Amino acid sequence: MTERTVHLPVAAQSSLDDFVELGKRAEALGYDTAWLPETWGRDAVTILATLATETNDIGLGTSILPVYSRSAALLGQTAATLQEASDGRFRLGLGPSGPAVVENWHGVDFGNPLKRTREYTEVVQQVLSGEEVDYDGDVVDVSGFRLRCDPPDPVPGVDVAAMGPKATELAGRFADGWHALMFTEDGFEERYADLRRGAELGGRDPDDLRVSLVVQCCALDDGDRARELAAQHVAFYIGGMGTYYRDALARQGFEETAHAVHDAWQDRDREWATELVADELVDELAAVGTPEEARDRLADFAALDGVDDVSIGTPRGADRPEVVETLEHLAPE
């Protein structure tokens, strides 16, 4: 059975307590896991550590921690510590993020993202094993590192967030799972084939990998408002977050629209960019509208072959009551 999880909304929270309350609400509603990306603002590690002490059963995980903002050894330590804090409920998701975040905000050259992601994944897995780590990679060099505490038991899974074919294949070869986001149904199926190919190249069983599909969701009694929020969200990611999302949609058959949205956003014509998304992409990418419409569309994504959990992501422009309403309407039955 496909799990139902929550992608906590980083943009809608005014305090750390708000995150805690949302995590507790998600647990009470029966969601299996609360995922948190790290973008800007509050760091994901502190939030998840706080949630670990304030919840009892819900799984906790990073949908993505960038591999450029921390060392590989530190990411391993962090995963081990969060696993201990949560009593075995943690799962680590990592990935390269993109040049707009890494270079502009962290001041680090965005070089060799695939190689860096692979080497980070391997080093983190070695750290979590409790064995001494001696790793001489092209990007990562670790010598004589070992945890000064017992290794986590169970060992948390290490997932990779990926949108492109090579990155998804890498997740299949080296990681324990894949975080997929901003996909149409057809686009997901194409990338899922890359994941399976990667697993086979690595001599692994593809069915052993956990696949989490993040779906933008907004379920409101005012269905028009829900669609508007989703269109604004998609337009922001295509137009304002570098080229990764634009290129991912272009690969899925929306090249003309993706470039038009990106150009309009860069020209500061945000209204036109949003209108382009509303006309072309919302129904393909999201589960939005009235509660019944959103539930029916979410079921389509949950039924895709290979999906282990659908993660409810909410639009960045949604206010707190709209986030809560969506979580309540789409909660597991």
Side-chain angles (χ1 to χ4, degrees), residues 238-239 246 256-269 272-273 276:
I238 297 173
R246 182 197 69 188
E256 183 176 346
T257 301
H259 282 276
V261 171
H262 181 269
D263 292 346
W265 192 275
Q266 292 299 308
D267 290 340
R268 299 187 181 280
D269 192 347
W272 176 235
L276 287 168

Side-chain angles (χ1 to χ4, degrees), residues 140-267:
V140 181
D141 187 4
V142 181
S143 178
F145 180 90
R146 187 197 297 266
L147 288 172
R148 290 185 64 186
C149 55
D150 291 335
D153 183 20
V155 176
V158 181
D159 303 333
V160 165
M163 292 186 291
K166 290 298 183 183
T168 307
E169 182 182 294
L170 181 150
R173 289 188 69 182
F174 301 104
D176 301 309
W178 172 41
H179 285 270
L181 68 160
M182 199 72 80
F183 282 109
T184 66
E185 291 178 75
D186 290 343
F188 171 84
E189 289 174 348
E190 187 173 350
R191 290 289 79 79
Y192 182 59
D194 295 324
L195 184 82
R196 295 187 67 87
R197 181 174 59 254
E200 290 163 0
L201 288 171
R204 313 167 74 201
D205 184 348
D207 293 333
D208 290 339
L209 303 179
R210 173 171 175 150
V211 176
S212 179
L213 175 60
V214 181
V215 180
Q216 284 306 310
C217 299
C218 197
L220 305 176
D221 291 331
D222 184 347
D224 290 338
R225 168 65 174 169
R227 293 179 65 83
E228 177 187 0
L229 286 168
Q232 292 172 355
H233 180 95
V234 175
F236 168 77
Y237 272 86
I238 297 173
M241 291 297 290
T243 61
Y244 266 32
Y245 295 94
R246 182 197 69 188
D247 294 344
L249 285 172
R251 283 190 296 267
Q252 297 177 67
F254 294 94
E255 182 172 6
E256 183 176 346
T257 301
H259 282 276
V261 171
H262 181 269
D263 292 346
W265 192 275
Q266 292 299 308
D267 290 340

